Amino acid sequence: MQRTEYIELLKKRFSEKRKFIQVVAGPRQVGKTTLIQQFLESFPNQIINASGDDISPDQSNSFISGLWDRARLMLKSGSKEVLIVIDETQKITGWSETVKKYWDDDTRLKNNIKVLLSGSSRLFIQKGLTESLAGRYELIPVPHWSYSEMKEAFGWTLDQYIYFGAYPGAAELIEDEKRWRTYIKDSIIIPSITKDILFMTKVDKPALLQQLFELGSFYSAQTVSFTSMLGQLNDAGNTTTLASYLELLEQAGLLAGLQKYSGSLLHTKGSSPKYQVFNNALMTAQYTLSFEDAKKDPALWGRLVESSCGSHIVRLQQSCDYESYYWREKNDEMDFVIKSGANLAAIEIKSGSRFTNSGMAAFRKQYSKGKTYVVSYQDDPSGLAIPMEQFLKTKPDLLCSK
């Protein structure tokens, strides 16, 4: 299956005159390499395709220099345009300064060499692009797969998406749930933490980071204060450390900590986080309860339904440019709040047969211009609730639009 939206965007960007480095960035196992290769199949000009997986640290400088030497030789030999593609760029030591040097040289010399980079997380962006290549690149964020993509590619039902999440590489393993869990942990979770976060960022307490991820994923769609979380962690730490580690996990596309919406930045920053995985597989891989048994547990299944809707919201917030929160005032609450510009939308997720919530009226009273919605896993006879399948096919920021 092709992720056509991103392939078409790459085609559009590279049909334009050379102006920016194009950067494809996203979490592990979302198909970045595949979509780049699909884009290259129809690219009309010369290509130099390389990967940071193929080199050792002591080869980094000569590796990038060699790519540019080849590209410039192609220009001298008559090529009008050359595209350099570097996959897994973050694995190349000192890549950003070297790429900056050659990009600026080509700009000055008017060499028509275009560049496409890819990396596994937003850490890659922060550690390289914003530090060295500011003003020289455009970002193409590639999120986790959607329910629609999993349904089209693998014929998944809504229940399968709720429980097994949305990693295409693991889709064919779900008949053997033990094997599926092992794949999620060994091929996604552990490399995301050890090779993305710990490789690119100084972390004083790696064990605490790992524990925070495991516990936060287990509590996805629930609000737990950092103080309470500390009481459940083995390694010593403080709330400031946990907050910084949670930010790293969010940048790696693993686990977000949604803040309470209050309209005040000060109050928002001081709230207890609502933990939210970017992909429900990261949550259920921590469980021992099977898919069939989870469906028989109403409380657990309700949490999985809410977390699945939450993962849809957070996975798109970077590419659609909105902010995600939750809302609570005394006994009134809404599961999620989306803020797009000056527009607000509050969303309540219902997995059972009750479709009303006192929080909706309370939210509208406090934020008169905000919209409120109910998203329902079950059929709503009144027709007022948005069916969950429809919600999962809708870009969340559209709920805010007038």
Side-chain angles (χ1 to χ4, degrees), residues 7 61 102 105 237 342 386 392:
I7 295 171
N61 289 334
Y102 284 107
D105 286 347
I386 301 173
L392 293 175

Side-chain angles (χ1 to χ4, degrees), residues 289-300:
L289 206 62
S290 70
F291 172 46
E292 292 300 330
D293 287 340
K295 289 195 292 182
K296 297 173 184 176
D297 185 331
L300 173 60

Side-chain angles (χ1 to χ4, degrees), residues 221-384:
Q222 297 185 67
T223 304
V224 184
S225 71
F226 284 133
T227 302
S228 298
M229 189 69 82
L230 279 172
Q232 301 182 59
L233 297 169
N234 296 326
D235 204 347
N238 56 48
T239 57
T240 302
T241 302
L242 290 185
S244 65
Y245 287 0
L246 186 56
E247 185 175 350
L248 292 176
L249 291 168
E250 181 171 357
Q251 291 167 354
L254 295 173
L255 178 71
L258 305 185
Q259 300 298 313
K260 183 174 76 171
Y261 184 77
S262 69
S264 164
L265 182 61
L266 179 62
H267 292 156
T268 295
K269 289 294 185 182
S271 64
S272 297
K274 180 174 185 175
Y275 296 93
Q276 177 59 59
V277 291
F278 280 79
N279 190 315
N280 256 26
L282 301 170
M283 180 184 186
T284 51
Q286 314 293 329
Y287 292 171
T288 56
L289 206 62
S290 70
F291 172 46
E292 292 300 330
D293 287 340
K295 289 195 292 182
K296 297 173 184 176
D297 185 331
L300 173 60
W301 192 252
R303 280 184 51 214
L304 291 175
V305 167
E306 182 178 336
S307 178
S308 188
C309 291
S311 69
H312 175 64
I313 291 171
V314 297
R315 77 179 186 89
L316 288 174
Q317 62 185 3
Q318 185 182 16
S319 56
C320 293
D321 194 24
Y322 58 82
E323 299 168 354
S324 307
Y325 305 89
Y326 70 96
W327 180 77
R328 180 178 298 150
E329 291 293 338
K330 297 181 180 179
N331 295 325
D332 297 315
E333 62 180 320
M334 296 294 287
D335 292 323
F336 300 101
V337 173
I338 299 169
K339 184 176 186 294
S340 179
N343 300 321
L344 281 179
I347 304 162
E348 179 69 14
I349 312 299
K350 295 294 185 183
S351 59
S353 56
R354 292 182 66 251
F355 303 103
T356 58
N357 173 25
S358 62
M360 298 179 70
F363 185 87
R364 286 195 297 265
K365 182 177 180 180
Q366 188 165 345
Y367 304 101
S368 58
K369 295 183 179 180
K371 296 184 176 182
T372 55
Y373 300 90
V374 172
V375 174
S376 176
Y377 169 71
Q378 297 188 15
D379 290 336
D380 174 14
S382 73
L384 296 177

Side-chain angles (χ1 to χ4, degrees), residues 30-263:
V30 298
K32 298 183 299 296
T33 300
T34 300
L35 75 87
I36 288 173
Q37 296 307 315
Q38 291 169 341
F39 155 69
L40 294 178
E41 288 173 3
S42 61
F43 188 73
N45 298 312
Q46 293 284 346
I47 301 166
I48 297 176
N49 194 3
S51 173
D53 277 326
D54 300 331
I55 65 165
S56 60
D58 61 331
Q59 296 175 310
S60 294
N61 289 334
S62 60
F63 175 77
I64 294 179
S65 298
L67 299 180
W68 254 267
D69 288 343
R70 286 178 56 196
R72 289 173 177 176
L73 180 60
M74 289 178 178
L75 292 181
K76 291 177 182 177
S77 300
S79 298
K80 294 182 179 180
E81 176 183 309
V82 180
L83 171 60
I84 296 177
V85 181
I86 308 177
D87 195 14
E88 297 294 339
T89 313
Q90 79 278 0
K91 296 182 179 179
I92 304 172
T93 304
W95 66 269
S96 57
E97 288 294 339
T98 309
V99 169
K100 174 186 176 183
K101 174 185 179 302
Y102 284 107
W103 177 264
D104 289 350
D105 286 347
D106 287 337
T107 300
R108 177 173 51 84
L109 297 170
K110 297 183 179 180
N111 290 333
N112 195 17
I113 298 176
K114 298 180 179 179
V115 179
L116 172 59
L117 308 176
S118 81
S120 290
S121 75
R122 283 163 56 187
L123 293 171
F124 153 61
I125 302 167
Q126 291 186 336
K127 288 296 179 181
L129 297 177
T130 55
E131 292 176 1
S132 301
L133 293 171
R136 297 171 176 84
Y137 74 94
E138 286 184 299
L139 177 65
I140 301 175
V142 180
H144 289 272
W145 278 42
S146 67
Y147 165 61
S148 297
E149 288 173 313
M150 296 301 290
K151 183 178 181 180
E152 180 181 346
F154 305 106
W156 276 24
T157 64
L158 177 60
D159 286 356
Q160 286 175 318
Y161 176 79
I162 289 170
Y163 185 86
F164 293 107
Y167 284 111
E172 296 180 355
L173 304 178
I174 63 173
E175 297 302 322
D176 184 343
E177 292 187 25
K178 182 178 179 181
R179 185 180 177 190
W180 173 82
R181 284 187 175 82
T182 299
Y183 178 89
I184 297 297
K185 291 177 181 178
D186 293 349
S187 298
I188 298 173
I189 295 174
I190 293 175
S192 293
I193 292 175
T194 60
K195 295 184 179 180
D196 292 343
I197 297 177
L198 298 182
F199 177 76
M200 302 192 69
T201 308
K202 185 179 184 300
V203 174
D204 293 328
K205 296 178 178 292
L208 183 63
L209 174 72
Q210 176 79 28
Q211 291 174 39
L212 175 62
F213 166 74
E214 292 172 356
L215 202 56
S217 298
F218 185 86
Y219 283 124
S220 183
Q222 297 185 67
T223 304
V224 184
S225 71
F226 284 133
T227 302
S228 298
M229 189 69 82
L230 279 172
Q232 301 182 59
L233 297 169
N234 296 326
D235 204 347
N238 56 48
T239 57
T240 302
T241 302
L242 290 185
S244 65
Y245 287 0
L246 186 56
E247 185 175 350
L248 292 176
L249 291 168
E250 181 171 357
Q251 291 167 354
L254 295 173
L255 178 71
L258 305 185
Q259 300 298 313
K260 183 174 76 171
Y261 184 77
S262 69

